[in-house]
């Protein structure tokens, strides 16, 4: 049975899609079957994994609105064990079309339930909003990873997101947990970066991942080649960061295939 994790933060540009692509690829390299569900109309996870959006015939939009079988929509990735349920710009209109659906907050959960038995992990890349599609993702998920960039406005809007999570826990998904806060775009040379790390760790303590995702040029370049960073440059700092995050996630969930005494690669 898959562990379903949503990557969400209504603030844009914090590293949600980068994390979805590269955490999924790192887990796949470690031989776990992973499905990336691209629940963002911008479809950056789809293009970032090397798919031409013009060639996507069946996307998450058809699965949600038309009841298409998600098994027919799943694409295989370049990496063995990595799969994608692609997005499409049509998803922009899905929220309006879903308004009159019964249990409209649980439509995505129904889609994922049809396929989750085939995977170890399902990672849902959410759009930068707290709209109906994101609510669907949080209702379908077991847990949520919240990327937080190490910049000035980092904590702005987190209160609103945490409030939304609380509402979903109370009304739609009582089992939803916060998997962790992930600090992204960290630059050890900048005092501001270090201040944000301290502030987030002080506020959220054990809920913050130990792994920091540092600023890395290879991490920025990889999506333009339609590749995860581990395939673009496996020796880069960005690839190491996400492999460490994958191992930390596995150890946290007691799913690791390695001896827990062995530390993550440095």
């Amino acid at each position: 049975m898959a562990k379903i994790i949503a990557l969400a933060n209504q603030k844009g540009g914090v590293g949600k899609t980068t994390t979805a692509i590269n955490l999924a690829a790192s887990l796949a390299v470690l031989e776990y079957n992973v499905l990336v569900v691209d629940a963002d109309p911008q479809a950056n996870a789809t293009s970032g994994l090397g798919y031409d959006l013009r060639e996507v015939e069946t996307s998450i939009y058809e699965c949600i609105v038309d009841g298409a079988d998600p098994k027919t929509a799943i694409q295989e990735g370049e990496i063995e064990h990595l799969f994608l349920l692609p997005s499409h710009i049509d998803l922009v209109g899905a929220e309006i079309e879903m308004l009159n659906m019964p249990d409209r907050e649980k439509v995505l959960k129904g889609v994922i339930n049809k396929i989750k038995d085939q995977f170890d992990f399902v990672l849902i890349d959410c759009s930068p909003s707290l709209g109906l599609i994101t609510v669907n993702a949080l209702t379908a998920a077991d847990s949520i990873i919240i990327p937080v960039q190490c910049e000035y406005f980092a904590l702005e809007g987190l209160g609103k997101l945490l409030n939304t999570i609380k509402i979903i826990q109370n009304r739609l998904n009582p089992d939803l947990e916060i998997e962790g806060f992930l600090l992204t775009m960290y630059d050890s040379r900048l005092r501001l970066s270090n201040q944000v790390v301290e502030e987030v760790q002080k506020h959220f303590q054990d809920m913050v991942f130990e792994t920091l995702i540092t600023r890395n040029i290879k991490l920025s370049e990889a999506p333009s080649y339609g590749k995860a960073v581990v395939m673009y440059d496996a020796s880069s700092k960005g690839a190491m960061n996400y492999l460490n995050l994958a191992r930390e996630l596995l150890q946290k969930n007691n799913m690791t295939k390695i001896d827990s005494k062995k530390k993550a690669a440095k």
Side-chain angles (χ1 to χ4, degrees), residues 11-258:
K11 196 169 183 326
V14 298
K16 288 186 294 293
T17 301
T18 299
T19 298
I21 291 171
N22 292 297
L23 176 57
S26 297
L27 289 165
V29 164
L30 296 170
E31 299 186 349
Y32 292 84
N33 287 324
V34 188
L35 174 69
V36 175
V37 176
D38 191 351
D40 183 351
Q42 296 175 79
N44 290 335
T46 301
S47 57
L49 284 169
Y51 294 93
D52 186 340
L53 298 176
R54 292 166 298 185
E55 292 178 8
V56 172
E57 291 180 10
T58 309
S59 70
I60 191 169
Y61 170 80
E62 283 80 16
C63 297
I64 288 174
V65 174
D66 301 330
D69 185 351
K71 288 173 189 165
T72 64
I74 291 174
Q75 309 278 335
E76 287 189 30
E78 179 189 2
I79 305 169
E80 194 179 354
H81 303 294
L82 179 60
F83 302 86
L84 171 74
L85 182 52
S87 186
H88 194 274
I89 189 65
D90 289 349
L91 195 60
V92 168
E95 298 205 352
I96 296 167
E97 294 180 66
M98 291 166 72
L99 284 176
N100 295 321
M101 287 185 181
D103 285 335
R104 62 189 180 195
E105 298 90 354
K106 298 180 179 177
V107 180
L108 183 57
K109 183 182 177 117
V111 171
I112 292 174
N113 280 347
K114 293 175 184 174
I115 48 176
K116 67 181 182 182
D117 292 348
Q118 302 168 37
F119 304 99
D120 298 305
F121 288 93
V122 175
L123 302 184
I124 310 173
D125 182 31
C126 298
S127 63
S129 77
L130 293 177
L132 187 53
I133 300 288
T134 300
V135 168
N136 263 262
L138 296 178
T139 303
D142 299 313
S143 64
I144 174 174
I145 290 176
I146 303 170
V148 179
Q149 86 281 37
C150 296
E151 291 177 3
Y152 184 65
F153 292 114
L155 299 176
E156 192 180 77
L158 273 187
K160 193 174 179 187
L161 175 60
L162 293 171
N163 196 40
T164 301
I165 291 169
K166 223 173 257 177
I167 291 167
I168 286 167
Q169 286 169 330
N170 288 336
R171 298 183 188 171
L172 296 165
N173 184 3
D175 299 324
L176 180 66
E177 295 177 344
I178 295 176
E179 192 72 42
F181 292 83
L182 176 67
L183 290 156
T184 62
M185 305 177 202
Y186 173 71
D187 187 337
S188 59
R189 299 167 300 178
L190 300 179
R191 190 170 66 173
L192 178 61
S193 265
N194 291 303
Q195 284 174 339
V196 171
V197 170
E198 284 174 26
E199 192 77 9
V200 173
Q201 288 175 338
K202 187 174 85 181
H203 269 79
F204 301 110
Q205 300 172 353
D206 293 346
M207 294 164 76
V208 183
F209 283 104
E210 286 179 25
T211 304
L212 297 173
I213 307 299
T214 54
R215 282 195 180 277
N216 178 253
I217 191 69
K218 299 294 184 186
L219 205 51
S220 304
E221 288 174 355
S224 64
Y225 291 89
K227 291 179 181 290
V229 71
V230 75
M231 297 301 286
Y232 180 63
D233 186 346
S235 63
S236 67
K237 191 74 176 166
M240 285 296 171
N241 287 165
Y242 276 107
L243 280 166
N244 279 337
L245 178 63
R247 288 178 177 145
E248 188 178 348
L249 179 68
L250 290 165
Q251 287 169 1
K252 196 174 178 184
N253 287 281
N254 296 318
M255 291 175 72
T256 182
K257 294 175 183 175
I258 60 169

